[in-house]
């Protein structure tokens, strides 16, 4: 097993997930999360939304705990800017700088509505590319902003266009059930959704495997819990340096070993 490919891939889960006309959620908004793996705190994340004139900026930050640095250090920053279109907002531009273990991704994208193209640039190599703009379209961060505006009905699914890595991904989001959950931020009635992330990209958010999000069952749809399972993470066995952190009962529960959980602990929302 390669440490950079498997180990604390567990350390991160980027909190994002999800047209012109998307209306704003509560702004300003700050959501603070604690990331855990098998009950152990492995990092923190903040998702903040603010307004600047007629635009909206969404920032996602994820950092691993200091103890994880020898294994898999994570320091991720993503920024999405939306512009007003009609009565709502639409994607304007996106920038990401991810550091996950030995991986280092740095790229940007912008929307050119005049030419109806989505333009990409790798900020390491400065290689450029473009793709046809199919609206409504969102980046990995603003997709959750858009998803929170949609009416969600248990048993039905919705679809979201996510533009990333130079291409358009059509992501199906299943609405599973209603459930009451407890978090450090309080007890919430939620509606549970599951985006189908069977696509290729970079960073943990797009790692293959089930993704489940608990949104408050109200108009705000605040994400209070996010779980990501990275399927086959330990298909070659659990490395010795991780076994010291996990009791035998946990090591024998592979689905739990493969799951990262982000839980709301506070903020302004």
């Amino acid at each position: 097993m390669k440490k950079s490919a498997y180990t604390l891939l567990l350390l991160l889960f980027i909190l994002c997930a999800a047209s012109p006309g998307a209306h704003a959620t509560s702004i300003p908004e700050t959501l603070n999360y604690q990331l855990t793996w098998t009950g152990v705190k492995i990092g923190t994340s903040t998702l903040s939304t603010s307004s600047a004139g007629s635009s909206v900026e969404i920032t996602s930050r994820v950092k691993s705990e200091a103890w994880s640095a020898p294994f898999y250090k994570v320091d991720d920053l993503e920024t999405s800017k939306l512009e007003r279109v009609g009565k709502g907002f639409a994607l304007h531009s996106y920038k990401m700088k991810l550091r996950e273990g030995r991986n280092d991704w740095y790229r940007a994208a912008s929307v050119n509505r005049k030419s109806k193209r989505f333009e990409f640039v790798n900020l390491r190599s400065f290689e450029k590319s473009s793709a046809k703009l199919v609206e409504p379209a969102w980046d990995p961060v603003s997709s959750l902003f858009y998803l929170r505006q949609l009416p969600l009905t248990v048993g039905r699914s919705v679809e979201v266009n996510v533009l990333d890595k130079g291409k358009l991904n059509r992501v199906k989001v299943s609405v599973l059930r209603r459930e009451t959950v407890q978090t450090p931020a309080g007890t919430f009635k939620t509606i549970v959704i599951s985006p189908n992330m069977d696509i290729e990209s970079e960073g943990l958010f797009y790692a293959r495997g089930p993704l489940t999000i608990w949104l408050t069952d109200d108009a705000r749809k605040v994400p209070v819990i996010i779980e990501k399972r990275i399927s086959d993470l330990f298909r070659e066995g659990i490395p010795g340096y991780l076994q010291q952190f996990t009791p035998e009962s946990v090591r024998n529960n592979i689905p739990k070993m493969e799951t990262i959980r982000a839980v709301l602990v506070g903020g302004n929302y």
Side-chain angles (χ1 to χ4, degrees), residues 39-91:
V40 177
K41 183 180 178 182
I42 59 173
T44 58
S45 181
T46 300
L47 186 65
S48 59
T49 305
S50 61
S51 59
S54 61
S55 64
V56 168
E57 186 168 283
I58 308 169
T59 302
S60 172
R61 298 176 183 271
V62 184
K63 286 195 174 184
S64 57
E65 292 292 284
W67 66 264
S68 71
F71 306 109
Y72 200 90
K73 183 177 180 179
V74 175
D75 188 359
D76 289 356
L77 174 63
E78 295 177 90
T79 304
S80 178
K81 185 176 180 180
L82 311 181
E83 61 182 352
R84 184 168 289 281
V85 174
K87 296 181 180 180
F89 294 90
L91 179 62

Side-chain angles (χ1 to χ4, degrees), residues 22 31 36 39 67 72 88 106 133 164 182 200 209 222 236 258:
L31 304 174
T36 62
W67 66 264
Y72 200 90
Y106 190 18
L133 178 62
D164 188 35
Q182 291 184 330
E200 296 290 344
V222 176
E236 298 178 21
E258 292 179 339

Side-chain angles (χ1 to χ4, degrees), residues 177 179 181 190-192 212-216 222-225 227:
R177 62 185 182 275
E179 184 177 337
V181 298
T190 68
I191 189 161
V192 187
T212 308
I213 305 173
W214 284 254
L215 301 171
T216 56
V222 176
V224 295
I225 300 176
E227 282 191 350

Side-chain angles (χ1 to χ4, degrees), residues 26-38:
S26 177
I27 298 177
E29 179 184 72
T30 301
L31 304 174
N32 299 321
Y33 297 87
Q34 178 175 282
L35 306 183
T36 62
W37 168 67
T38 67

Side-chain angles (χ1 to χ4, degrees), residues 104-173:
D104 192 359
W105 299 295
Y106 190 18
R107 65 177 184 268
S110 60
V111 170
N112 186 331
R113 288 195 163 82
K114 185 175 181 179
S115 63
K116 296 183 179 180
R117 303 290 292 179
F118 197 79
E119 300 169 347
F120 302 84
V121 58
N122 184 316
L123 295 174
R124 294 294 185 199
S125 65
F126 295 102
E127 179 182 358
K128 296 181 179 181
S129 62
S130 68
K132 181 181 178 180
L133 178 62
V134 179
E135 302 232 54
W138 305 92
D139 59 67
V141 171
S142 62
S143 59
L144 182 58
F145 176 92
Y146 170 64
L147 186 59
R148 291 172 63 187
Q149 322 303 317
L150 300 180
L152 301 176
T153 302
V154 173
R156 297 185 180 179
S157 62
V158 296
E159 292 187 336
V160 182
N161 289 332
V162 181
L163 289 158
D164 188 35
K165 206 176 179 181
K167 62 183 179 181
L168 172 70
N169 300 285
R170 189 72 170 168
V171 177
K172 180 181 178 180
V173 182

Side-chain angles (χ1 to χ4, degrees), residues 9 14 76 96 98 100 105 107 201-207:
L9 269 168
I14 297 181
D76 289 356
M96 58 91 87
L98 309 184
E100 300 179 5
W105 299 295
R107 65 177 184 268
S201 190
E202 297 164 339
L204 278 182
F205 176 65
Y206 286 132

